[in-house]
Amino acid sequence: MKLIAASVIVFLIIAAYPSFQYQRMLVGAPALETRVSGAQVANGETLLLEIIQADTVALGHIAVGIGDTTALRLYPHPAEEDDALFAMLGIDYYARPYEDTLRVMWTEDDIFYERAIPFAVVSGTYPSTRITGVPQSRVTPSAADYRRIARERRQIGAAYISVRDSLLMDGPFRMPTEKVTITGEYGSRRVFNGQLRSVHSGLDMRAYAGTPLYAAQSGRVKLAKNLFYSGNHVLIEHGMGIYSSYSHMSKLEVKTGEWVEEGQLMGLSGATGRVTAAHLHWTVNVNGVRVSPLQFYDVLATLYRTEDSSQHFE
Ligand SMILES: [Zn+2]
């Protein structure tokens, strides 16, 4: 016999970035508690769903859908016991505001339950910046450079393909530099030398030439090489579709295919690639979507029950 749990009205409190507030929804069967990191998530941010089981529910019987179509992958929760699960949803920077519903479905004593968790994607507030002094050869690449850029795009695309289905890391992110000073925000719209427009896909941190750069977490190095735009670049796969990358280094200290530990030295900062000065360009990808590294840092802090990124700033 199958019953569908009655739909409910849930009053949701808007969670203010960067501090997360949980919405606890204890409706439906009491065996399962669901938490989302916020009723609203901005474009470029990551939504976290946690499923905490009060009683034993067969793992294979839990599924999460978005609306009527997409299924969200569930993974074992690293900080909760009793078969708790979590899922992450990265929202594309170019996503327009929309409303959708996470549908958590499970069976208990052969009864089918469904809990609807509405969420809204809202417009993030991202600044605009003008950048001058970039070498013209990097703004308007030559024909040979275009061939190189196309070749590197394929290599980068391939590096992002082999998604490992388990978590390769065992803790929250650490900051890739010892001292953290943000010099370029994720999501800012940039105008290079008044002509080339792009959206900043990562977070820039002050890192004078030769500053040691460390792996945010453990994982497998998928790419460690010199790229036209990114300069000396390291891409780390952390498992479950999570990647972090580090660009513009003067020196690489790891090789493609190598396993790295959290905090391991990956190289020294520099000004290689399309840059005006030495710094670290740090990116984070979640399931193919390039998201805000700082907000993702806070999502992981929530998942691992540790401190959010604000502890690094005065
Ligand atoms: Zn950057």
Side-chain angles (χ1 to χ4, degrees):
M1 183 176 68
K2 287 187 174 183
L3 292 173
I4 296 175
S7 60
V8 295
I9 299 167
V10 180
F11 293 99
L12 297 165
I13 301 159
I14 297 164
Y17 172 82
S19 69
F20 286 92
Q21 287 176 289
Y22 289 128
Q23 287 79 52
R24 288 162 181 261
M25 274 151 279
L26 294 164
V27 295
L32 196 142
E33 181 192 342
T34 50
R35 305 173 181 177
V36 287
S37 50
Q40 293 192 342
V41 60
N43 61 314
E45 293 188 348
T46 304
L47 186 74
L48 172 66
L49 169 69
E50 297 175 276
I51 299 174
I52 316 291
Q53 298 173 47
D55 298 320
T56 306
V57 178
L59 265 183
H61 292 159
I62 303 176
V64 177
I66 306 172
D68 293 327
T69 50
T70 320
L72 207 54
R73 295 209 73 137
L74 288 166
Y75 298 100
H77 198 297
E80 290 281 342
E81 293 177 349
D82 298 327
D83 299 330
L85 300 166
F86 79 96
M88 286 180 182
L89 176 65
I91 307 295
D92 193 274
Y93 180 88
Y94 295 97
R96 297 287 178 90
Y98 64 91
E99 291 180 358
D100 213 329
T101 304
L102 292 170
R103 290 163 51 241
V104 181
M105 296 160 278
W106 73 99
T107 55
E108 201 180 324
D109 296 331
D110 287 334
I111 297 172
F112 177 81
Y113 291 92
E114 179 177 319
R115 183 174 301 159
I117 308 171
F119 69 96
V121 172
V122 299
S123 288
T125 45
Y126 297 110
S128 252
T129 50
R130 298 182 79 80
I131 294 157
T132 53
V134 178
Q136 201 60 29
S137 62
R138 301 271 166 179
V139 176
T140 311
S142 67
D145 285 338
Y146 270 119
R147 285 194 290 278
R148 178 185 168 185
I149 291 162
R151 192 170 64 241
E152 289 177 354
R153 279 218 175 108
R154 289 193 294 276
Q155 289 173 338
I156 294 164
Y160 276 103
I161 283 174
S162 69
V163 174
R164 283 176 176 80
D165 212 19
S166 58
L167 204 53
L168 301 180
M169 55 188 195
D170 59 0
F173 270 9
R174 59 152 287 159
M175 288 292 175
T177 54
E178 211 65 76
K179 284 179 72 179
V180 178
T181 305
I182 305 302
T183 55
E185 285 179 51
Y186 165 90
S188 54
R189 286 169 282 275
R190 312 179 116 186
V191 180
F192 288 97
N193 294 357
Q195 60 177 139
L196 187 74
R197 286 161 195 281
S198 70
V199 170
H200 193 221
S201 62
L203 185 73
D204 286 348
M205 292 181 170
R206 178 166 297 152
Y208 299 115
T211 303
L213 302 177
Y214 305 105
Q217 251 298 337
S218 53
R220 185 72 63 188
V221 175
K222 295 299 299 281
L223 212 56
K225 66 174 295 192
N226 184 274
L227 301 171
F228 181 82
Y229 286 117
S230 302
N232 290 322
H233 176 82
V234 171
L235 172 66
I236 302 175
E237 181 182 12
H238 301 291
M240 294 180 343
I242 300 167
Y243 292 79
S244 65
S245 83
Y246 313 78
S247 295
H248 311 310
M249 288 189 252
S250 58
K251 190 169 188 289
L252 294 172
E253 295 285 355
V254 291
K255 290 188 169 64
T256 302
E258 196 176 314
W259 172 264
V260 291
E261 298 292 345
E262 181 247 349
Q264 187 174 328
L265 179 69
M266 284 172 305
L268 304 176
S269 69
T272 54
R274 191 177 69 181
V275 292
T276 52
H279 71 278
L280 167 65
H281 175 82
W282 185 35
T283 75
V284 173
N285 261 58
V286 175
N287 297 320
V289 176
R290 193 154 286 184
V291 296
S292 162
L294 273 192
Q295 194 267 346
F296 183 76
Y297 183 106
D298 291 343
V299 165
L300 277 188
T302 299
L303 184 67
Y304 283 97
R305 317 295 188 227
T306 54
E307 292 173 73
D308 65 36
S309 62
S310 60
Q311 66 181 305
H312 298 281
F313 306 103
E314 286 164 9

